[in-house]
Amino acid sequence: MINLLDRHTTKENIYKYVTAKKKVLREVNPEKLGNDIKVETLKKGNDICYHISEIGKAPGRKIFYIYDSSYCYPMRINEWRFIIDLVKDVGAEFFVPMYPLTPENSCENAIKCVTELYKEFIAGFDMNEVILMGSGVGASLALSLNLIAWQEGIDIPGLTALISPVLDSEFSDEEILNKMKEKAVKLKKYMLSEGTLQFLRDYWIKDSGDRHDYTSPMNEKLNYISGDFLVVSGTEDIYNTHAREFCRHLYDVGKKPYYFEYTGAEHDFIFNRGHSESKHIRKIFKDLFTGSRETILNNYMYEVKRRGELTKKYPEIFTDEIATKYLAKNRIWYKKYKKSSEYRNLVEASVYHDFDEAVRLFLMEYPESTVVYLGCSLDTMFERVDNGRVMWYNLDSPGRIAVRNMYTSPNEREKIIDISVNDLTWFDEIVCEQDKGLLFVCRNTLGYFNKNEVRQFLARLSERFQGCNVLFEVNNHIEMMSNKIYMNRIGQEYRVRKFYLDDPVSTIESWDPGYSVISAKPVLDGVVQSPGWNSRLKFIFYVGRRVQGTRIVRVRLGYEKFADLY
């Protein structure tokens, strides 16, 4: 987007600023960015499209990439380098159109250009080998091309990838616009002044104000939109709202986008080679674009593999049929993780079992209740405990939910919330009936908070959902230190756990007189020692039972009547 200082905020000053800047900007010659890259200049009339491939290698996927011009400017060198990195990572060839820019041209000229170049240079390819991709304003043009293709009978690939998308140049929704302005001020980027909006209306939108598919494709009807969608955004991008709203619209028409959102990332983070989130999403691209999961997606699937293994090893304790069926159909390699000890496997199986049993007990008490699984990741607890009447919410970060959507599909009584647990705006997404029961399940979530953060989190839940129940696991200090020593000994990377309670009942009830600990069950209490265990495991099991290092705690926060949610 046009990034301007305060003194440039009138339409006339923006015009002068943009035209002056364009005179001094030099277009990057992609041929000079790598000796191992082949660059061809393809033409259709006066329009140019660059064809980029790696010398000496047979290209695989064909990617039609529409760059982020911020409406006005030629392609930046960092974006060119991003493309060249993807050419090498994915083994693909890129087609990159140079479309007309404003103020000399409108969105209609730009869309007609990319549409004609797309038809000219992608026609004849197998659509399964083609990807439509765009960043920023280019993502809007890519989405417009997808929408227009249905009207004109143009073949569209099975995957459209939108990076940090800017999907509404009219900024027609005042509520969304105000949120974006607030974020722009916070980030000290004066992008959305009235002068900027007027500049776009007069020069970019021009005579296309009545065509949402040209100016605001996120607001167009998406019933006939084609293929799957990969959407990437950062929380510090003022256009993050566009990405989220578009994904919500896709869900409304029955599509499940692959949505990856990075906390703290700004609009063009992906073009920064040294940015950790940029490296992560490039690995996602490699897996999705090549049809492989080995670069990074299998790392997400590790927990599915663990549940399948635990089911085979300890069927009398824990069973997950979905995980075992998935593993039977999918071969997955895990180079990163080392095998856990027999005792650690036993404890992990018992934790899964005790959480399932605690939720089943709650559903016996409140058969028409609402359960919110915080940090659900790829767990399919709903299928294991469903009583046919419960309303279930699965909540986790967008990246986890995107991978989850590849693994399983939600039930009609199962809703997805793709937001971080720490972003408490998800409170507004929970709809439940008073006095029918509300349970928050926090398996493997609160352990990464410190004690004060857990206390504050429970207080916020109690304030908003008075009378709700919370189910979570907690280690004592001995178990927490034992885990740390064990992980260091085997050289396994892990997130440091901070939360522990030696006496969870008295500690939690001391935090608030309205809190009541319903149960605090040690996870090994119900496990029966097997004759087949070796003497070492039997001894460690005996010590573990005595220490009671991990407990599954259920606490009720106040009286069993929820605050008015409406």
Side-chain angles (χ1 to χ4, degrees):
M1 186 60 176
I2 308 163
N3 191 356
L4 305 170
L5 302 176
D6 277 327
R7 64 179 183 273
H8 299 300
T9 52
T10 67
K11 179 188 74 174
E12 292 75 19
N13 280 340
I14 290 171
Y15 181 91
K16 293 177 183 178
Y17 176 87
V18 169
T19 51
K21 185 174 180 179
K22 290 174 77 170
K23 289 179 181 178
V24 299
L25 284 176
R26 293 183 179 180
E27 291 195 21
V28 177
N29 183 353
E31 294 183 22
K32 297 182 178 181
L33 295 180
N35 296 327
D36 50 353
I37 296 297
K38 179 182 178 182
V39 180
E40 298 177 90
T41 303
L42 310 177
K43 291 187 177 181
K44 180 176 174 58
N46 294 323
D47 296 327
I48 293 176
C49 182
Y50 288 108
H51 176 218
I52 304 170
S53 58
E54 191 171 6
I55 294 175
K57 291 190 178 180
R61 288 292 190 102
K62 283 74 176 167
I63 299 179
F64 191 80
Y65 182 90
I66 309 176
Y67 78 96
D68 183 9
S69 65
S70 295
Y71 300 107
C72 307
Y73 304 123
M75 194 166 171
R76 297 161 296 168
I77 189 169
N78 284 350
E79 194 163 0
W80 273 118
R81 286 173 175 156
F82 166 76
I83 287 175
I84 290 171
D85 287 342
L86 274 187
V87 168
K88 297 175 181 179
D89 289 346
V90 181
E93 56 183 324
F94 272 68
F95 296 82
V96 186
M98 298 293 106
Y99 56 90
L101 305 172
T102 205
E104 298 84 0
N105 297 278
S106 68
C107 65
E108 183 177 3
N109 304 125
I111 290 171
K112 287 182 177 179
C113 170
V114 297
T115 303
E116 290 304 312
L117 290 174
Y118 175 86
K119 291 191 293 186
E120 179 74 14
F121 300 115
I122 299 299
F125 287 132
D126 179 355
M127 284 295 109
N128 292 322
E129 294 296 317
V130 178
I131 294 169
L132 177 59
M133 192 173 187
S135 66
V137 172
S140 180
L141 296 175
L143 183 56
S144 292
L145 174 56
N146 189 304
L147 291 165
I148 293 166
W150 181 81
Q151 303 170 24
E152 300 186 7
I154 305 170
D155 288 334
I156 285 292
L159 179 65
T160 300
L162 307 179
I163 304 169
S164 302
V166 181
L167 300 177
D168 181 5
S169 59
E170 292 192 58
F171 299 95
S172 50
D173 189 313
E174 192 168 339
E175 183 178 350
I176 290 177
L177 177 59
N178 288 335
K179 289 181 180 178
M180 294 171 70
K181 284 182 176 180
E182 290 175 6
K183 183 170 283 190
V185 171
K186 177 185 174 183
L187 298 174
K188 298 180 181 179
K189 295 184 177 181
Y190 304 96
M191 297 178 174
L192 297 172
S193 68
E194 184 54 41
T196 303
L197 301 182
Q198 188 61 52
F199 175 85
L200 291 176
R201 284 193 288 265
D202 289 356
Y203 296 108
W204 179 256
I205 298 169
K206 212 167 183 179
D207 300 324
S208 301
D210 59 341
R211 292 206 60 176
H212 284 315
D213 54 347
Y214 276 31
T215 63
S216 308
M218 66 178 280
N219 296 323
E220 185 72 350
K221 292 181 179 179
L222 302 180
N223 303 66
Y224 303 107
I225 203 164
S226 177
D228 295 325
F229 282 84
L230 167 63
V231 183
V232 180
S233 184
T235 58
E236 295 303 295
D237 180 0
I238 67 169
Y239 302 102
N240 175 249
T241 306
H242 283 187
R244 282 194 155 273
E245 282 295 304
F246 173 64
C247 289
R248 185 179 63 81
H249 294 334
L250 287 177
Y251 276 116
D252 290 344
V253 296
K255 287 186 172 289
K256 296 192 299 184
Y258 307 131
Y259 180 48
F260 291 87
E261 180 180 279
Y262 293 91
T263 302
E266 297 188 358
H267 179 70
D268 54 359
F269 78 94
I270 199 169
F271 304 132
N272 183 346
R273 280 175 164 173
H275 204 294
S276 60
E277 283 77 7
S278 175
K279 294 177 182 177
H280 183 272
I281 194 60
R282 285 177 188 170
K283 292 177 181 178
I284 295 290
F285 287 160
K286 186 171 183 179
D287 277 354
L288 290 179
F289 292 178
T290 61
S292 167
R293 294 176 178 267
E294 296 180 5
T295 306
I296 194 169
L297 289 181
N298 276 350
N299 292 337
Y300 285 90
M301 302 304 295
Y302 175 71
E303 61 178 276
V304 179
K305 180 175 184 290
R306 288 291 296 150
R307 292 201 303 274
E309 290 175 340
L310 295 174
T311 296
K312 293 179 180 179
K313 191 177 290 289
Y314 305 109
E316 71 282 2
I317 298 175
F318 171 73
T319 302
D320 188 332
E321 294 182 358
I322 295 177
T324 52
K325 288 178 181 177
Y326 183 87
L327 293 178
K329 296 179 181 179
N330 297 271
R331 189 176 183 182
I332 303 173
W333 294 98
Y334 298 88
K335 299 176 182 177
K336 177 180 176 182
Y337 298 94
K338 297 183 179 179
K339 289 185 178 180
S340 297
S341 69
E342 198 71 22
Y343 176 72
R344 301 287 166 181
N345 289 335
L346 185 64
V347 170
E348 189 174 355
S350 299
V351 168
Y352 275 114
H353 169 272
D354 285 0
F355 264 102
D356 286 1
E357 285 303 300
V359 175
R360 289 191 186 101
L361 179 61
F362 181 83
L363 295 182
M364 290 176 65
E365 297 177 50
Y366 304 94
E368 296 183 349
S369 61
T370 299
V371 175
V372 184
Y373 192 170
L374 304 178
C376 65
S377 194
L378 276 62
D379 194 4
T380 51
M381 184 188 289
F382 173 78
E383 284 80 0
R384 298 196 299 270
V385 304
D386 182 25
N387 66 351
R389 300 160 72 180
V390 63
M391 176 58 69
W392 192 281
Y393 290 86
N394 283 315
L395 184 148
D396 212 323
S397 64
R400 291 278 179 186
I401 293 299
V403 178
R404 182 185 179 87
N405 286 340
M406 304 177 198
Y407 164 59
T408 185
S409 297
N411 181 282
E412 60 182 6
R413 288 177 288 103
E414 188 180 12
K415 297 184 178 181
I416 300 294
I417 303 176
D418 57 343
I419 194 170
S420 169
V421 173
N422 296 316
D423 183 352
L424 299 185
T425 57
W426 59 261
F427 281 7
D428 298 330
E429 300 290 324
I430 308 301
V431 179
C432 55
E433 294 187 44
Q434 293 185 4
D435 301 327
K436 287 195 173 181
L438 174 62
L439 174 67
F440 293 94
V441 178
C442 307
R443 190 192 68 82
N444 203 29
T445 301
L446 298 186
Y448 303 109
F449 295 5
N450 61 41
K451 189 180 296 186
N452 191 49
E453 288 171 338
V454 172
R455 184 174 180 175
Q456 291 175 356
F457 179 69
L458 294 181
R460 294 293 299 275
L461 285 179
S462 178
E463 179 183 356
R464 183 63 182 271
F465 305 102
Q466 186 184 24
C468 70
N469 283 242
V470 185
L471 186 68
F472 58 94
E473 64 182 294
V474 60
N475 293 334
N476 61 22
H477 190 252
I478 294 175
E479 182 69 14
M480 189 180 73
M481 294 305 297
S482 174
N483 284 333
K484 185 176 181 179
I485 293 169
Y486 175 77
M487 290 298 186
N488 286 332
R489 182 168 59 82
I490 67 172
Q492 181 69 64
E493 294 181 10
Y494 70 103
R495 288 175 65 192
V496 176
R497 288 179 172 268
K498 305 174 185 177
F499 179 49
Y500 71 90
L501 295 175
D502 289 325
D503 186 354
V505 177
S506 62
T507 303
I508 292 172
E509 291 185 346
S510 72
W511 288 347
D512 189 296
Y515 293 177
S516 176
V517 176
I518 308 299
S519 62
K521 179 181 179 297
V523 295
L524 296 178
D525 264 13
V527 178
V528 178
Q529 180 175 299
S530 171
W533 294 354
N534 60 43
S535 57
R536 175 180 172 81
L537 179 58
K538 290 178 180 179
F539 173 74
I540 297 175
F541 174 71
Y542 171 78
V543 174
R545 288 280 294 266
R546 298 280 294 181
V547 170
Q548 298 186 348
T550 303
R551 294 173 181 265
I552 306 301
V553 177
R554 175 182 158 192
V555 57
R556 185 177 63 232
L557 306 181
Y559 299 102
E560 292 185 346
K561 185 164 185 176
F562 306 131
D564 187 5
L565 306 182
Y566 307 101

